[in-house]
Amino acid sequence: MASSEVAIPQITDLYRSVADLGGIINQATLIEAIPLSLHNALGFENIFLFLVDRGKLKHASQYLLSPLPEKTFRALSGLHLKLDQNPGLRKAFQNKTIILEKKPKPTLGKDRNLGKLVKLLKPAALLLVPLAFADEALGLLWINLDPKKKISDRLLSALKVFADSASLALENAFLYREAWETSKTYRSILEQLGDGVIMIEPDNKISLYNAAAEEMLNFPPEEILHRKDLDVLHINDWHGKRLSGGEESLSNLVAKTGVYAGNAFIRALDNHLVAVSAFVRQIRSTRNEVAGTVFIFRNISKELETERTRREFVYLASHELRTPLTAIKGFLDMIVEGDAGEANPTVIEYVKNAYEGVERLLRLVEDLLNVSRIEEGKISINPQSVEIVSEIKTLISDLLPTAQRRGLYLEFEPPTKDIPPIEVDPDRLREIMVNLVGNAIKFTNSGGVTVALQSKGEELIISIKDTGIGIAEKDLPNLFKRFYRVAISTAAEKHGTGLGLYIVKTLIEMMGGRVWVESKLGQGSTFSFSIPTKPVGDLVKSE
Amino acid sequence: MTKKILLIEDDPLLTKMYRKKFEQEGFAVETALNGAGGLEKIKDFRPDLVLLEVVKEIDELKKFFTEIKAEPETKNTRVIILANLPISQLDQVNAKNLGALDILQKADFTPEKMAEKIKAFLEE
């Protein structure tokens, strides 16, 4: 062992060593560097670094003036110090105090391994320097001292400064490694995702372009990464509005709202358009500054194709069904009218039954057609100025024969005050009323139906009240859903397609109104809907 | 004098149905399968009323009416459009702007009612 005096530390050497350690983020490099750095800073000559691994201190690196035999290292790697069996060490960690053993003996401490280490490393005198960050023990510097040299207070405080810096550097390197591994995990998840993910920095440059995005758009990453989204991503929504490209950037799209979701087309490498379901979200830092934009998209071409085929089928089928049904209805009517000669009363009765069946089929086909038109966005609302009271009176007188055939009354309860003409689509209003009043008549066996109109604030409320069979509570929430049918065991023949109320709700909402129902089983139902009397700015218009 | 009706309809069943009914009601009936054939028949047959079913696109309808109006002999031909689908008020306005007397949804009219409607138009 060298017998040189431990020099008074030079503040510049200490400063340089500490600064060097702080700059090392690689954990392995840092572990090698700490003992060497301690030597450079404070002149110690035989230094071992132990690191905490799951509650045990394990040898990690060293700085030695003269090398140790191989078998010493082997023995060293097996000697772990358990923190919970070393109250003295634990206390040193808690208080960050340096332990100085002037004559360490193999009986040092309660942990037998501590004694074995003394036996193995043979320190004439020993310094134990805990490395800790906050309350967490990170490691231990074991310094073999020359007993002849004096340890000044100044040296001890310099050693403390070094220990604090080494601890901070170790913690940083650990956090860096953890962050790197986390980001590696996230990165590999992003690469495995079936959805395309593109990250855009606040300067609009693309910083991430995952494998799924590449597969959909075919652009090689070098043509996308680090370029501005408006230069390389050409995205339009389904109405042709530009979301990215030219002057528009996705970051502008979400600048105000923070989020965008909708269907869009993205131009791929060979100029073909990929139909996607797009989601764009602004990312904010913990300080609430805009930190970028994330764009997530899923290829929906296949779904669209399937959906288009399905809708085309429904549209075509319902369209094509009408022609033969009209012919059947016409010929049956001609038999009843006597155009084919006189038929006996039973024939007439049966033909009338067949006629009713055809009428029902035609109504079902019409419902299907309406739904497919709604789904294709082919239904438009064309508001006109309408005298609502007389319009409803006309509707009621048209529906009166149907009510009378079932022995029911159909009344109109006019509003208490005059209602000026309102802007409403008369065709849609008729469809809604025919459906709701038709249902009321269909499901009422005695009594009748009252239609009431009243003005409330900026809307008109039309309600259709019947004395019918009513609706069970469990059915109420589902009533306006597509294809939902209330199970009525006693009136199976009255089943429809389950589309009527869905159509009614959709049309009412397209006109800016609401629909609701109050009902009790056996006590009748009241369906009400509202029509805004002030023109709704952005009515859904299509075609 | 016997009134003449031209039915432009491509479905054989419906053609047969209307022809039977209208003939029973005392009309002379001719039929055509498409717009072009219909225009030919208008010139030869000189119907009092045309029931037009097959032409559905608005541009084709415009062309049909333009051609009728171009000839002095046919320009006063009265046309009713028959529709397979429900008709909106907008369709009504469009049909009348083109020069049709009316637009009727086939399924709403039994042959009996259709014949009544035609008689009413021809009496005007």
Side-chain angles (χ1 to χ4, degrees), chain A residues 322 329 333 339 369 427, chain B residues 21 24 84 89 105 107 110:
Chain A
R322 292 177 70 86
K329 186 180 158 184
D333 184 65
D339 293 340
L369 202 60
D427 293 326
Chain B
K21 185 70 191 180
Q24 259 170 0
N84 192 18
Q89 291 203 349
Q105 190 191 336
T110 59

Side-chain angles (χ1 to χ4, degrees), chain A residues 301-319:
Chain A
S301 309
K302 269 189 196 138
E303 287 92 328
L304 275 188
E305 182 56 25
T306 314
E307 183 63 13
R308 199 180 60 82
T309 317
R310 186 187 69 80
R311 285 199 307 231
E312 250 176 26
F313 171 76
V314 172
Y315 188 81
L316 256 171
S318 42
H319 197 282

Side-chain angles (χ1 to χ4, degrees), chain A residues 356-418:
Chain A
E356 271 172 36
V358 172
E359 284 228 294
R360 242 168 62 204
L361 259 178
L362 272 166
R363 274 199 303 276
L364 297 187
V365 167
E366 197 151 309
D367 277 356
L368 277 176
L369 202 60
N370 269 329
V371 167
S372 84
R373 282 154 72 99
I374 284 174
E375 287 179 342
E376 288 211 55
K378 277 189 176 170
I379 292 256
S380 56
I381 301 291
N382 303 301
Q384 297 170 23
S385 181
V386 168
E387 289 276 0
I388 188 82
V389 173
S390 67
E391 186 77 18
I392 289 181
K393 278 183 181 163
T394 311
L395 279 166
I396 287 176
S397 67
D398 288 353
L399 291 163
L400 191 61
T402 321
Q404 285 169 338
R405 268 200 296 277
R406 289 185 45 76
L408 305 172
Y409 64 81
L410 175 58
E411 295 173 342
F412 178 49
E413 210 172 83
T416 44
K417 53 185 176 184
D418 278 356

Side-chain angles (χ1 to χ4, degrees), chain B residues 21-86:
Chain B
K21 185 70 191 180
F22 298 158
E23 283 175 355
Q24 259 170 0
E25 296 294 328
F27 297 113
V29 182
E30 270 290 339
T31 60
L33 281 172
N34 52 43
L39 285 167
E40 286 299 309
K41 285 268 167 78
I42 289 173
K43 285 175 199 155
D44 300 342
F45 183 57
R46 298 296 191 84
D48 296 288
L49 188 71
V50 176
L51 296 176
L52 174 65
E53 201 277 335
V54 289
V55 183
K56 290 180 180 82
E57 299 299 324
I58 188 95
D59 286 342
E60 281 182 66
L61 275 172
K62 272 184 192 158
K63 200 169 154 242
F64 184 86
F65 281 99
T66 311
E67 291 202 25
I68 292 178
K69 299 228 164 86
E71 302 283 331
E73 304 107 319
T74 59
K75 70 173 185 189
N76 292 323
T77 310
R78 292 190 281 184
V79 180
I80 292 175
I81 299 173
L82 299 185
N84 192 18
L85 299 175

Side-chain angles (χ1 to χ4, degrees), chain A residues 39-54:
Chain A
H39 165 75
N40 289 341
L42 303 177
F44 294 112
E45 289 173 341
N46 292 288
I47 307 160
F48 297 86
L49 173 64
F50 291 77
L51 289 179
V52 175
D53 177 14
R54 278 165 285 180

Side-chain angles (χ1 to χ4, degrees), chain A residues 6-69:
Chain A
V6 174
I8 302 292
Q10 293 295 310
I11 192 78
T12 46
D13 291 343
L14 178 65
Y15 175 78
R16 191 177 304 125
S17 300
V18 160
D20 285 351
L21 283 186
I24 302 172
I25 46 172
N26 181 296
Q27 212 175 10
T29 312
L30 181 67
I31 289 165
E32 291 301 319
I34 286 174
L36 175 66
S37 185
L38 178 56
H39 165 75
N40 289 341
L42 303 177
F44 294 112
E45 289 173 341
N46 292 288
I47 307 160
F48 297 86
L49 173 64
F50 291 77
L51 289 179
V52 175
D53 177 14
R54 278 165 285 180
K56 289 177 191 165
L57 281 161
K58 295 177 182 174
H59 171 246
S61 66
Q62 66 286 318
Y63 173 84
L64 298 171
L65 209 57
S66 47
L68 287 177

